[in-house]
Amino acid sequence: MMFKLKNSLARSCFDYRTRDIHSTAPLRLDPSSGFGLLSQIRHADLTMYLLAVKSFADRLAPASVHIVDDGSLTDEDRRLLVQHVPGHVLLRACDFRRDDCPQGGTWERLIAISHLVRDRYIVQLDADTLALDALPEVADCIRMNRSFAIGTWDNQTPETMKERRDTALQHLHGDRPHIQLIAESRLDALDNFDSMLYIRGCSGFSGFARGCIVPDRLGAWSSQMRAVTGDRWSDWGTEQFMSNIVVANSPSATVLPHPRYCDCTRYVAGQAAFVHFIGTCRFKGGHYARAARQLIARLSGALRNSS
């Protein structure tokens, strides 16, 4: 209860300190860029999403923006999205559900991606992220149609599923281990396990190459994992596990250099180009708000210079 109260107060303070994002210019699409940007958002994250999407598009303008509504967006939220992200495509999470995949836990966005990559490269962007500098590594991946993941440690590369399975088995302790660790320990349940790769990354920022996955393959992998994990397959965290598999088994997939691309546990001001402000450290130390306010100043300066 106390954590929820503190988090709610911290979020309200953050939204107040970064409210001027609503006064910045609308995002501009670039049809020539050839890639789409997708995020699943909820009402509570609207201000954070505007910061995330505008910070990213300021560095790499997408040809299209797809927003998956988790069902909580209000009419006012939709009005603001039309104002700030003109031309976006609004999708309903309930339209991207399958009997062979869990419901919730952001699975709907991964299923949506499996449909959208038929036609173009898709970048998955969480609302609690910020692009702080140029993103040439991401631009190269898009240009070469290579999937990417944001990594967990320095000099990380894709590993074999057997390597990750063996590592997970060594750390599988306690009465109720995290579902991601359980799933990694049972990677051998997947077809072609011996020839497949894995990236222990974060699904909050990932690139999906055109043609890298189809919905039925996603459903088949999900069914194989449910068969060995049971009811735990519906736990939060399985979508990230599956996203890691999809990215890793896309041709020439790569892990973005860490900590240039990192979460807030490894963030050092002036060194990181892209940061995922995950929940455990999101509002600690005020780093997120300071970086967001610097972004707003940058965007506001660009608006004044164009006037």
Side-chain angles (χ1 to χ4, degrees), residues 154-216:
D154 295 357
N155 303 312
Q156 185 177 354
T157 59
E159 59 189 322
T160 67
M161 282 196 171
K162 184 179 185 304
E163 288 172 327
R164 175 46 47 183
R165 189 273 311 269
D166 292 348
T167 299
L169 286 171
Q170 295 174 14
H171 294 86
L172 199 63
H173 307 299
D175 295 333
R176 192 176 175 83
H178 192 280
I179 183 55
Q180 185 166 341
L181 194 61
I182 294 173
E184 289 172 348
S185 75
R186 293 308 317 269
L187 280 164
D188 55 339
L190 295 175
D191 292 341
N192 302 317
F193 157 77
D194 290 331
S195 60
M196 293 176 69
L197 301 174
Y198 187 78
I199 295 173
R200 199 168 215 273
C202 176
S203 63
F205 184 54
S206 302
F208 296 85
R210 185 177 62 255
C212 70
I213 189 67
V214 295
D216 286 347

Side-chain angles (χ1 to χ4, degrees), residues 52-82:
V53 73
K54 288 190 176 186
S55 73
F56 185 89
D58 184 51
R59 304 296 179 173
L60 288 174
S64 60
V65 174
H66 307 264
I67 300 171
V68 180
D69 175 6
D70 77 339
S72 67
L73 295 182
T74 66
D75 289 342
E76 176 62 11
D77 294 337
R78 297 187 189 95
R79 185 193 69 78
L80 286 170
L81 288 170
V82 169

Side-chain angles (χ1 to χ4, degrees), residues 222-296:
S222 174
S223 294
Q224 290 163 17
M225 291 307 305
R226 187 187 296 277
V228 295
T229 60
D231 292 341
R232 292 294 307 274
W233 188 239
S234 295
D235 286 6
W236 179 274
T238 56
E239 180 272 342
Q240 176 162 280
F241 166 81
M242 188 59 68
S243 177
N244 290 339
I245 292 174
V246 172
V247 169
N249 291 282
S250 177
S252 302
T254 189
V255 184
L256 296 175
H258 186 274
R260 178 172 164 78
Y261 296 81
C262 64
D263 66 40
C264 46
T265 64
R266 295 293 302 275
Y267 168 59
V268 177
Q271 296 183 13
F274 185 96
V275 184
H276 185 194
F277 289 91
I278 59 175
T280 55
C281 56
R282 181 175 299 150
F283 301 120
K284 288 183 178 179
H287 303 299
Y288 188 13
R290 279 193 294 273
R293 286 168 65 86
Q294 289 170 3
L295 166 71
I296 293 168

